[in-house]
Amino acid sequence: MDRSRAQSPGRKASQSPGRGSRSPGRNSRSPGRSFATPDRFIPSRMNQDAINVSHAKIVADLTEKDDENVSPSTKASREQMAANLAAAQPGMKMDGKIILHYEEKPASKQGTCSAQLLYQSSSASRVKKTHVERHIPSTAERVLDAPELMDDFYLNLIDWSCNNHLAIALGGVLYLWNASSGDIQQLFEMEQEASFISSVSWIPDGKYLAVGTSDNEVQLWDVAASKCLRRLRTHGNRVGSLAWNKHILTSGDRVGEIQHHDVRIPSHMLTSVRAHSQEVCGLRWSPNGDMLASGGNDNQLLLWSGYNSGSAGFSNTPVHTISEHTAAVKALAWCPFQSHCLASGGGTSDRHIRIWNTQNGRQVSSVDTKSQVCGLVWNEMYGELISGHGYAKNQLTIWRYPHLEQVAELTGHTERILYMSVSPDGTTVVSGAADETIRLWKCWDIDESVKKKKKAITERSTGGGPSKSKSSMQARRGLR
């Protein structure tokens, strides 16, 4: 599985011939490269050529009546000059009234993806970029082979635990990769050949792993014991999204139903609601557990209040219904350093990242990324957001909050990025793509100077007390 170079367990060499010969990041370019301004003016020949052609046309008209008196050699010389001028300027015609004309746009190649044409046509609109002093590696730190990683926008097949274990679903097999030691473990394989894993999610303490399947069930696994503890069979369709809120597991399926389960009790299902009219492809609980965000293939972003043990439990009506996205909403990420702040990303027809104040449901800022947004991850130390994309660059893009200025682009994947997660120390982002590779990017290396600067700001704003550090940061990056 490790391209440096260990293969995935059970993988045969014939499955992906020549994959090891790839060189990730070879296409990356040095950012910020510029060229000096030339020290002299070099005029274009286009205008002079047009004058020459016009002059030849006038001379031809004036001498047309005298052609009989012109010697054969002179006449041949004139014809040769006219032919040379016409060849140099194919858009100009000597025998017609129009000298200049616009060439029609060439027809698109057969089989060209309509999404690619869309992005090519809009490439003139550039995203605002910002200068950064730190070094951000443009290539992946590590590349892992991931044969049979499903190319399905609506699934969620990668998650990183607080214990530094990466859960990866490859078709019907669930693997655990220990990022500390590099060890690989096959946790289980689906019993039916046609069945596959559709979602994975670690409980916050990292002891248990929830796994959604195409067989309409959710499995709960004790990873240390390699044992399936429970099978929750309350869904009627594949379970593509999972999210934990302490001991509450929330699951979303293909028909738009969201269920809440208390995994501590035998009768686990607390409530069920038909939240979306199409598949639920994104679920995220806020850090304090007081709000749930759900995104669906119906282009809706819904915000739900958390569980209230003193009343009816979970509400069947969302607090806010947000309809600004024009494509499926899969990418969801709560800001770790500012409460009531949510980032969402839209699919191919939308391409926007939008920041929301979840207290009032209002949009704070947005940016057109020019590409399908498949995943979002925050970083608290640098106050940045990274997004994973599909057509046409298949890149990761780092943005500076709150104005969403582009910091860097990371390239290497050859097909769309579908799955993302972040390491427990917040320094490394993992991306899984349809090119059947998983790449680890060291985007946010720990910078002691940044830590000291933030500590000094916190101490000045709080008088040395830690209790107000979060509120002071919220004041500096406040939602409007």
Side-chain angles (χ1 to χ4, degrees):
M1 190 168 179
D2 187 348
R3 179 155 300 177
S4 60
R5 270 270 342 147
Q7 288 187 331
S8 302
R11 185 182 179 201
K12 297 180 180 179
S14 61
Q15 286 180 308
S16 181
R19 184 179 293 274
S21 62
R22 291 186 183 177
S23 179
R26 181 170 292 178
N27 297 331
S28 60
R29 299 179 180 176
S30 300
R33 185 180 181 184
S34 60
F35 299 90
T37 304
D39 58 356
R40 61 192 178 94
F41 174 69
I42 302 176
S44 171
R45 292 183 55 87
M46 290 299 297
N47 294 335
Q48 185 63 41
D49 289 341
I51 294 173
N52 292 340
V53 173
S54 300
H55 179 265
K57 180 72 166 59
I58 294 172
V59 171
D61 291 339
L62 293 176
T63 58
E64 184 177 359
K65 297 179 180 180
D66 298 331
D67 281 347
E68 295 179 358
N69 300 324
V70 175
S71 64
S73 61
T74 302
K75 186 174 182 180
S77 176
R78 289 178 180 177
E79 292 176 352
Q80 182 63 38
M81 179 182 294
N84 292 340
L85 288 171
Q89 296 292 328
M92 304 178 184
K93 298 183 179 180
M94 297 299 296
D95 56 350
K97 296 181 179 179
I98 301 177
I99 295 178
L100 300 175
H101 76 98
Y102 292 99
E103 294 184 1
E104 295 184 0
K105 184 178 180 180
S108 60
K109 297 180 180 180
Q110 294 294 328
T112 302
C113 175
S114 60
Q116 290 177 322
L117 293 176
L118 174 65
Y119 300 132
Q120 291 170 4
S121 65
S122 62
S123 60
S125 176
R126 296 186 178 274
V127 176
K128 184 178 180 181
K129 297 184 179 181
T130 186
H131 174 72
V132 291
E133 296 181 355
R134 79 179 192 273
H135 172 66
I136 303 175
S138 59
T139 58
E141 183 182 52
R142 204 165 191 177
V143 182
L144 310 176
D145 280 331
E148 299 185 23
L149 182 65
M150 297 189 66
D151 182 3
D152 193 326
F153 177 81
Y154 305 102
L155 307 185
N156 294 273
L157 303 181
I158 293 178
D159 198 23
W160 209 327
S161 79
C162 65
N163 297 325
N164 213 17
H165 288 84
L166 191 64
I168 307 168
L170 303 180
V173 185
L174 197 286
Y175 292 103
L176 301 177
W177 182 67
N178 188 325
S180 300
S181 64
D183 294 337
I184 302 168
Q185 173 190 354
Q186 179 178 321
L187 186 62
F188 75 93
E189 183 175 359
M190 297 291 291
E191 297 176 358
Q192 301 296 324
E193 185 176 354
S195 301
F196 59 88
I197 298 166
S198 49
S199 56
V200 294
S201 181
W202 290 97
I203 197 169
D205 64 10
K207 294 180 180 179
Y208 305 108
L209 180 67
V211 181
T213 73
S214 62
D215 294 336
N216 316 334
E217 69 177 7
V218 178
Q219 302 178 11
L220 299 179
W221 283 81
D222 182 336
V223 175
S226 299
K227 180 180 180 181
C228 182
L229 303 177
R230 300 188 69 173
R231 295 176 182 264
L232 314 181
R233 296 186 174 98
T234 50
H235 281 283
N237 287 269
R238 75 175 188 186
V239 183
S241 299
L242 295 167
W244 286 93
N245 182 5
K246 298 180 181 178
H247 55 272
I248 302 295
L249 175 62
T250 302
S251 55
D253 66 21
R254 196 169 194 171
V255 297
E257 184 177 4
I258 293 177
Q259 296 181 3
H260 301 285
H261 312 267
D262 187 338
V263 298
R264 302 171 301 174
I265 58 179
S267 301
H268 55 83
M269 194 168 77
L270 300 175
T271 186
S272 174
V273 58
R274 185 68 176 270
H276 295 267
S277 60
Q278 297 186 45
E279 184 163 12
V280 180
C281 46
L283 284 175
R284 287 291 185 273
W285 278 102
S286 61
N288 59 9
D290 65 352
M291 185 167 283
L292 172 71
S294 67
N297 194 33
D298 56 2
N299 308 344
Q300 299 290 307
L301 169 60
L302 305 180
L303 301 177
W304 309 80
S305 59
Y307 181 73
N308 188 342
S309 59
S311 61
F314 289 97
S315 173
N316 290 333
T317 304
V319 177
H320 298 292
T321 300
I322 298 173
S323 304
E324 271 74 4
H325 284 290
T326 58
V329 183
K330 175 188 179 181
L332 298 171
W334 290 92
C335 181
F337 52 81
Q338 182 171 323
S339 58
H340 309 294
C341 178
L342 174 71
S344 62
T348 304
S349 300
D350 181 77
R351 310 176 306 180
H352 279 74
I353 297 174
R354 304 178 190 272
I355 308 296
W356 307 94
N357 181 339
T358 58
Q359 287 183 306
N360 53 28
R362 294 180 181 176
Q363 180 175 292
V364 178
S365 60
S366 68
V367 61
D368 185 353
T369 68
K370 311 301 179 186
S371 183
Q372 177 187 50
V373 185
C374 304
L376 292 168
V377 171
W378 286 93
N379 178 265
E380 182 173 1
M381 175 176 292
Y382 292 97
E384 294 174 347
L385 180 70
I386 187 169
S387 53
H389 298 276
Y391 307 114
K393 294 183 180 180
N394 309 310
Q395 85 283 11
L396 289 96
T397 305
I398 301 177
W399 311 87
R400 177 160 293 171
Y401 178 81
H403 301 298
L404 296 180
E405 301 164 319
Q406 183 176 311
V407 175
E409 275 192 355
L410 311 178
T411 58
H413 283 293
T414 58
E415 296 186 41
R416 63 176 179 171
I417 297 170
L418 293 163
Y419 317 109
M420 291 177 63
S421 190
V422 64
S423 62
D425 63 2
T427 64
T428 306
V429 171
V430 61
S431 60
D435 59 9
E436 295 189 341
T437 66
I438 293 173
R439 297 172 186 256
L440 282 75
W441 312 83
K442 198 79 169 181
C443 306
W444 298 302
D445 204 1
I446 297 176
D447 190 331
E448 294 300 328
S449 63
V450 174
K451 290 178 66 177
K452 290 179 181 178
K453 184 177 179 180
K454 287 200 170 188
K455 183 179 179 181
I457 294 173
T458 301
E459 289 177 350
R460 286 199 302 268
S461 61
T462 63
S467 59
K468 298 181 182 179
S469 60
K470 181 174 285 189
S471 62
S472 65
M473 190 174 293
Q474 290 174 359
R476 288 186 285 112
R477 299 187 177 124
L479 291 173
R480 294 183 292 273

